[in-house]
Amino acid sequence: MSNDAAGRQTRFIVLLAALVALGPLSIDGYLPGLPDLAGDLRASAAATQLTITACLAGLAIGQLIAGPLSDTYGRRRPLLAGLAIYTIASALCAVAPDVRTFVGLRLVQGVGGAFGIVIANAMVRDRTSGTRTARLFSALTLITGLAPVFAPVLGGQLLRVTAWPGIFVSLAVLGAVMLAASAAGLPETRFSASRQPLLAVVGQLLSDRVFTGYVLANGLVFAAMFAYISGSPFVLQEIHGLSPQQYSAVFAVNAAGLIAAAQISGRLVARAGARVLLLAGLLGATAGGTTVLGAVLTRAPLPVLLIGLFVLVSSVGLVMPNAAAQALADHGGHAGSAAALLGFSQFMIGGALAPLAGAGGATDALPMGIIVAVLPALALLTLGVLTRSMPGERTPG
């Protein structure tokens, strides 16, 4: 590859990574400012939490809109429209007069941000195949792991010089920069339009039980990670007495494990294959979740629990890129819709099941332990049942 071609490829990957990061930044970037936001908008704790849920719902719904649109009209036009929506909604969040308006704008912001996530994944499938697809998804998983860790840190630093509306102004500026960069630097990657009705496309995808197996396995493991994220602050701080700083350190170490696993996956996929690495990730997540449940049931020392959580979260770095590569392999003609269903399942399964981790309140770790043990095992079983006729790699179609 020439230096010029390598430079274009690098710019392409960097832009896609930035698009994927918009969602996590939107969810987590303003968390340090939540108390001040609640006070300024005179919002209850429940209403304040709803501002997070609204963004997650927007990210899920928006992917179902963006995927089919990008299959029909090409990648660039829907992407630019989504980024414009994201930028405007982010700016309006900064001047929202009350919490109801803010919640509605957060929903719209999530929808706009979803266009970047799903179209970035579809562009990877348009431009690559086989192990190269899995390698690029590993790179995007790196961003997925980094963004939630650094978003609250960046938000906290911004609060040193501005109030919470300044965070949304910054997100609006970022959206505008991404809009300009995408308009100037992202080429169209889809040149043949899909004219099938949306329901027909979705029906075709869901009737492929192998595709469904990869989507469900990915979504169930992602939900286990969501359960860890929502339940671990209470388990580790309220039950085991970690300070906020110690908890942040544990969270960072686990995120580093996910990132390292994703990068190892990118390096090994050409030799081992995406399916083998996916199975390794599912087995690792199952082992990690089972260790967590065992530690809770036996009241094992804290290090045992931490080891289980580390193995669980790190394994997600093997599952996500390889499940995505395998799910999209046979659906290049509808890569946008396939990527949309993949992303939608993550947020919907995660959003539905993760709150159960807190069912026992702040003093009972058993619900989290059960969820993080059962979901990866169920993912492994689902993959085995639905893809049993596909022992090898899926090849691009």
Side-chain angles (χ1 to χ4, degrees), residues 244-286:
Q245 293 73 27
Q246 290 171 324
Y247 171 74
S248 296
V250 169
F251 195 88
V253 168
N254 290 339
L258 184 152
I259 293 163
Q263 295 314 292
I264 291 170
S265 174
R267 293 180 180 276
L268 293 182
V269 68
R271 284 182 289 174
R275 184 176 171 86
V276 170
L277 292 173
L278 170 59
L279 289 172
L282 291 173
L283 288 169
T286 302

Side-chain angles (χ1 to χ4, degrees), residues 6 40 43 55 71 111 117 157 192 248 271 281 326 348 372-373:
D40 290 347
C55 187
D71 283 341
V111 169
I117 296 172
Q157 293 305 309
S192 58
S248 296
R271 284 182 289 174
Q326 291 290 87
M348 289 305 294
V372 300

Side-chain angles (χ1 to χ4, degrees), residues 54 83 141 149 161 164 166 176 186 199 231 244 246 250 258 265 268 278 295 306 337 340 357 362:
L83 289 173
T141 300
V149 175
V161 296
W164 67 264
L186 274 184
L199 290 179
Q246 290 171 324
V250 169
L258 184 152
S265 174
L268 293 182
L278 170 59
L306 295 180
S337 299

Side-chain angles (χ1 to χ4, degrees), residues 197-269:
L198 172 59
L199 290 179
V201 172
V202 172
Q204 178 183 329
L205 290 168
L206 294 181
S207 67
D208 178 354
R209 63 182 180 82
V210 178
F211 169 81
T212 304
Y214 287 119
V215 167
L216 289 177
N218 182 70
L220 289 166
V221 171
F222 194 79
M225 187 174 73
F226 257 46
Y228 150 73
I229 291 171
S230 63
S232 63
F234 301 101
V235 171
L236 295 179
Q237 294 184 72
E238 298 295 329
I239 297 176
H240 289 278
L242 295 188
S243 68
Q245 293 73 27
Q246 290 171 324
Y247 171 74
S248 296
V250 169
F251 195 88
V253 168
N254 290 339
L258 184 152
I259 293 163
Q263 295 314 292
I264 291 170
S265 174
R267 293 180 180 276
L268 293 182
V269 68

Side-chain angles (χ1 to χ4, degrees), residues 9-10 12-14 16-17 20 120-144 262-263 265-267 269 320-322 324-325:
Q9 177 75 352
T10 299
F12 177 72
I13 295 171
V14 169
L16 295 187
V20 169
N121 286 328
M123 282 182 159
V124 168
R125 178 58 185 86
D126 290 340
R127 291 277 292 263
T128 63
S129 62
T131 57
R132 288 191 65 213
T133 302
R135 282 199 197 100
L136 270 182
F137 278 132
S138 294
L140 296 185
T141 300
L142 168 63
I143 303 303
T144 303
Q263 295 314 292
S265 174
R267 293 180 180 276
V269 68
M320 288 179 61
N322 295 297

